[in-house]
Amino acid sequence: MAGTSITSEVDFDAPGKHFGFLRVPYSVHRSAYGWLPVPVVSINNGDGPTLVIMAGNHGDEYEGQIAVSNLARDLEADEIKGRLILLPMVNAPAAEAGLRTSPIDQGNLNRSFPGNASGSPTEMIAHYVEEVILPMADYAVDLHSGGSSLFYPPTVFRGQGNTPQETKALICMQNAFDLPYAWVFTSGGGRGSTARTAMGAANRKGVINIMAELGGGGAVTPDILRQTERGLRRILHALGMMPDYQPDAATGTRELNVQGSVYAYAAGQFEPLKTIGDDVAPGELVGLIHHPDTPFAEPDQITSPYGGMVLCMRTMAQVVRGDAVFQIASDAAPRGDQE
């Protein structure tokens, strides 16, 4: 399989529901012939598309891990048409440690694609996903959150599509997920993508794919988890994979283009003066950095170089120069201009 060093305990072509592990070779002092387990579920029933849903790309992002695990447990093969491949904690070492990156090799999986079949464990996982998993797929969903340091409202990410058919399919998936916000990329994508992310990997393989940011702050937000689980089932229905599912009415999605991030330029304790959804004007004061070790010193001011609304914000109070504290977005161009 594409020169991979990883073996799968699951036969992805077998009908029915199957659980096992991807065995990532890992030879160390305590285990000369050992392997790292990456859980995988295949649910396969008859003709239909193949959808890959992954979570735990970053280990400290939890709503997706729980939602995919619940889907794996609750969904039976006779409820779907086609094949569903679930990876609830694709960067298993990072997920087990509750860290953004792997404690084994410090690898950031979502910056490691296309990976390396003979590289570090993170590189091997990236290679297996790009060269073995994604070539089986018609569609893919990659679930994230803001992790330990950031918080996003439920937001779907998508490209604009490189053909009218791809654009239509991406909008279909976005509308089915029915999250409050959508970050619509203004460039990139396609088979020539050089992005080192899971989205880039899917684009290179011609897989129609979306990503989502779902909360963060190192916690699980029950309402966001509920929206995630609802959205995944709505996507399965929209793709014709859950024909008997009855989706409820859509609530609507506000499409955005991200303008950029606002950064701290000093170390200290961050006081936000804006919160998610607030309007921001260019040059507006949006935060302060306090210095309790020098209590008579005035706080450093943070101003936004962008106008729009706050889409994402930092959850940690302590900052150093270079930490992102906000992400600013504005309403996307009318849909007719995207196609």
Side-chain angles (χ1 to χ4, degrees):
M1 280 192 176
T4 181
S5 302
I6 295 174
T7 58
S8 175
E9 296 181 346
V10 170
D11 179 353
F12 296 107
D13 294 325
K17 181 176 177 178
H18 305 278
F19 166 75
F21 296 99
L22 306 178
R23 298 183 176 188
V24 182
Y26 187 57
S27 178
V28 292
H29 173 74
R30 65 171 182 77
S31 184
Y33 303 128
W35 47 271
L36 301 171
V38 177
V40 60
V41 177
S42 174
I43 307 175
N44 193 348
N45 183 37
D47 295 332
T50 293
L51 169 64
V52 173
I53 305 178
M54 71 176 73
N57 192 329
H58 293 133
D60 62 343
E61 301 174 358
Y62 300 114
E63 275 84 356
Q65 295 184 52
I66 294 172
V68 175
S69 298
N70 286 343
L71 197 64
R73 185 175 62 256
D74 295 344
L75 195 61
E76 298 300 332
D78 60 6
E79 297 179 73
I80 75 163
K81 300 294 182 183
R83 177 172 56 181
L84 180 60
I85 297 173
L86 302 173
L87 294 159
M89 45 190 295
V90 65
N91 191 353
E96 289 174 354
L99 299 173
R100 180 175 177 84
T101 57
S102 172
I104 292 174
D105 56 15
Q106 307 308 310
N108 182 337
L109 180 59
N110 214 39
R111 304 294 185 271
S112 298
F113 294 92
N116 182 344
S118 302
S120 69
T122 301
E123 291 172 329
M124 285 191 281
I125 293 169
H127 177 269
Y128 189 89
V129 170
E130 180 154 348
E131 298 299 335
V132 179
I133 296 289
L134 289 174
M136 294 187 278
D138 301 292
Y139 304 95
V141 178
D142 184 24
L143 301 176
H144 289 255
S145 82
S148 300
S149 66
L150 299 171
F151 189 93
Y152 278 89
T155 305
V156 64
F157 291 32
R158 70 165 177 90
Q160 296 198 30
N162 292 282
T163 66
Q165 295 79 13
E166 184 180 355
T167 298
K168 182 178 179 180
L170 288 167
I171 293 172
C172 173
M173 294 178 75
Q174 170 189 298
N175 291 343
F177 215 159
D178 197 36
L179 299 180
Y181 299 102
W183 175 348
V184 182
F185 296 128
T186 57
S187 62
R191 287 185 175 269
S193 174
T194 58
R196 301 195 66 190
T197 62
M199 289 192 79
N203 288 332
R204 287 189 286 274
K205 298 304 179 184
V207 180
I208 296 170
N209 73 103
I210 59 174
M211 192 187 101
E213 294 281 2
L214 305 157
V220 174
T221 304
D223 183 60
I224 295 178
L225 177 59
R226 179 193 62 78
Q227 291 182 66
T228 304
E229 294 181 331
R230 168 183 177 267
L232 293 178
R233 284 167 171 78
R234 288 174 58 87
I235 289 172
L236 283 161
H237 176 76
L239 298 179
M241 297 179 69
M242 286 186 70
D244 296 332
Y245 178 74
Q246 298 296 320
D248 57 359
T251 59
T253 299
R254 180 180 176 182
E255 294 186 344
L256 303 168
N257 297 144
V258 167
Q259 303 303 304
S261 296
V262 181
Y263 293 95
Y265 270 80
Q269 296 182 4
F270 168 57
E271 176 193 355
L273 301 179
K274 295 287 185 176
T275 193
I276 288 170
D278 283 353
D279 291 331
V280 175
E284 185 176 357
L285 180 67
V286 293
L288 300 170
I289 300 177
H290 295 273
H291 309 287
D293 58 339
T294 313
F296 47 83
E298 291 293 326
D300 290 273
Q301 296 187 347
I302 304 174
T303 58
S304 173
Y306 310 105
M309 60 157 277
V310 175
L311 177 63
C312 167
M313 65 181 292
R314 183 172 175 84
T315 60
M316 293 179 170
Q318 286 193 324
V319 293
V320 298
R321 184 178 297 160
D323 285 342
V325 295
F326 292 109
Q327 194 173 61
I328 309 299
S330 60
D331 287 306
R335 185 168 286 176
D337 295 343
Q338 298 175 16
E339 299 179 11

